[in-house]
Amino acid sequence: MMIPAIRSVFHSVFLRTHHRPKMVNPALCLSAISLAGAAYQATAWVVPQVRVASISRAAVTAKMSSDSFDETRAGTYSVADQVARFANAKEDGNQRYLDIASVYDGGDLSGKRVLVTGGGRGLGLELTKELVSIGATALVVCRSSSPELEKLVGKWNVYSGVDVTDTEEVTKAIKRVKNDGGALDVVINNAGYFYDPKETVLGNSLNFEEQLKQIDVCGLGPLRVSAACVQEGALAEGAKIVIITSQAGSVEWRSTQNKDEGGDYGHHMSRSACNMAGVLLSEELRSKGFAVILLHPGFNRTEMTKKYEAIWDIEGAVSPPEGAKRVLYETIKGSMETTGQVINCEDGLRIPW
């Protein structure tokens, strides 16, 4: 049912003119509805109806007209256009965006047991380094180890030979993690895979096997690891499950970021699958008190993004150590209040589905 204020608006605007429908002024209707939404803003947020929720959003962003408001560009969410997003941050002097060290303090993770998948290279390795530096016990699940990694976290804290596409390997590793040192406070699902060649239909360059591999690693991988942690009782009370996803999984943003060209089907589909798994997991685990935090780490200068090296500067790509701090900053902030949301680690704002 409609809340009283909105029902009243509908009565006053529509019922008085139901016998003269052609004379209803659409602009008047929209203004009236927005006004009612503003008056009952708190109620509108919790009413499980799309129309009522959108009225509340319009009230919050009253300075933007209903015709120009677009979640892919701004408002209550992050900005889809990466170049514009970075330019806006510079123009506004947004230190949260431009210098994460100005707001980051990893102290809340000190003394915590944190598991990182894919923690032997790239962003995962930087996350592991940062965790060690702030006093957390970092444990790494990876396919292959290295002397550097074992020296960093200790040989017995590296669980190598584990592919996140192999359910049996994952389950065995999580059992060992629990038996070796007890429950985990945070699990960071970082392992990922990115197929380098650009996939297009018109260029006849689709690779369906690679698409399935990306979905298996990026979509099902985090679900396998997280499920094993829950089923094996490896999570401490109030533990957080972090899933490193990507803005590439936003369907809504494709009309901006892939406008008129599409492409990279496996990459985008795998991240959308990842997001769906994360949202469903957040709902299933809500009663257990485990927050599921989905994070777009931002644009980082890693081997995985090297194919985009030409646009690193204009789009504000940062070094892996800085990217790691962004991820851990949002990991600390994440809670049951934000469980199931996709957050952009660059600005801390939501990314739409």
Side-chain angles (χ1 to χ4, degrees):
M1 294 180 65
M2 297 183 193
I3 59 176
I6 296 178
R7 184 170 61 242
S8 175
V9 170
F10 270 80
H11 284 177
S12 63
V13 175
F14 287 96
L15 296 187
R16 288 185 302 165
T17 59
H18 72 278
H19 59 288
R20 292 180 288 125
K22 292 183 180 180
M23 297 181 66
V24 176
N25 186 326
L28 177 60
C29 295
L30 185 58
S31 298
I33 293 171
S34 297
L35 214 52
Y40 284 84
Q41 186 177 18
T43 307
W45 275 113
V46 298
V47 175
Q49 294 181 6
V50 174
R51 288 183 181 177
V52 176
S54 65
I55 291 169
S56 175
R57 184 179 297 168
V60 174
T61 55
K63 67 178 181 180
M64 303 176 67
S65 72
S66 60
D67 291 335
S68 66
F69 185 72
D70 185 341
E71 288 290 21
T72 67
R73 292 174 176 81
T76 57
Y77 288 73
S78 190
V79 178
D81 187 324
Q82 183 86 37
V83 175
R85 187 193 310 161
F86 182 47
N88 290 345
K90 290 190 292 184
E91 182 179 350
D92 297 340
N94 185 340
Q95 289 304 299
R96 159 69 182 77
Y97 192 121
L98 302 174
D99 180 17
I100 190 63
S102 66
V103 295
Y104 169 75
D105 178 359
D108 286 352
L109 292 176
S110 179
K112 303 294 186 181
R113 282 172 55 80
V114 184
L115 178 71
V116 182
T117 67
R121 57 182 295 186
L123 178 62
L125 180 58
E126 296 302 330
L127 284 168
T128 303
K129 290 179 179 178
E130 181 59 28
L131 286 167
V132 171
S133 74
I134 60 179
T137 298
L139 305 104
V140 176
V141 169
C142 55
R143 288 187 299 167
S144 59
S145 185
S146 68
E148 177 191 11
L149 180 61
E150 293 180 1
K151 182 179 180 180
L152 177 65
V153 301
K155 182 177 181 179
W156 303 111
N157 285 336
V158 178
Y159 299 81
S160 60
V162 182
D163 192 319
V164 295
T165 65
D166 189 315
T167 304
E168 185 177 354
E169 287 181 4
V170 167
T171 302
K172 287 181 179 179
I174 297 304
K175 283 182 178 179
R176 288 173 54 205
V177 168
K178 181 191 175 186
N179 292 337
D180 289 347
L184 299 165
D185 299 295
V186 180
V187 175
I188 302 179
N189 289 282
N190 168 76
Y193 174 64
F194 191 21
Y195 179 59
D196 253 357
K198 185 172 183 178
E199 290 187 282
T200 65
V201 172
L202 298 180
N204 193 24
S205 57
L206 295 180
N207 189 319
F208 297 111
E209 290 74 20
E210 287 289 338
Q211 290 175 15
L212 289 172
K213 181 178 179 180
Q214 289 176 92
I215 291 171
D216 202 3
V217 174
C218 303
L220 296 178
L223 185 58
R224 282 191 187 91
V225 173
S226 301
C229 289
V230 174
Q231 292 162 0
E232 297 302 323
L235 297 178
E237 183 178 354
K240 297 180 181 182
I241 296 175
V242 177
I243 298 176
I244 303 300
T245 181
S246 170
Q247 63 183 1
S250 170
V251 174
E252 189 169 338
W253 277 9
R254 292 315 100 219
S255 60
T256 298
Q257 296 181 346
N258 292 77
K259 184 175 176 58
D260 297 329
E261 64 177 38
D264 287 335
Y265 288 86
H267 175 51
H268 295 291
M269 290 189 296
S270 71
R271 294 306 184 175
S272 287
C274 174
N275 292 348
M276 179 59 77
V279 171
L280 292 173
L281 188 64
S282 74
E283 293 301 327
E284 184 172 1
L285 299 184
R286 187 183 294 275
S287 63
K288 301 295 185 182
F290 299 140
V292 179
I293 305 163
L294 295 110
L295 300 178
H296 165 57
F299 200 8
N300 295 294
R301 300 173 186 242
T302 64
E303 286 300 314
M304 189 175 287
T305 66
K306 195 170 180 60
K307 64 184 285 187
Y308 301 119
E309 184 176 8
I311 58 173
W312 275 351
D313 290 339
I314 193 173
E315 295 199 358
V318 300
S319 66
E322 187 170 352
K325 288 184 175 66
R326 283 175 166 179
V327 168
L328 294 180
Y329 179 74
E330 293 302 331
T331 295
I332 292 170
K333 284 181 59 181
S335 67
M336 291 303 298
E337 293 182 0
T338 59
T339 187
Q341 297 179 2
V342 180
I343 303 297
N344 184 352
C345 291
E346 294 172 341
D347 53 24
L349 299 177
R350 291 184 65 180
I351 292 177
W353 305 114

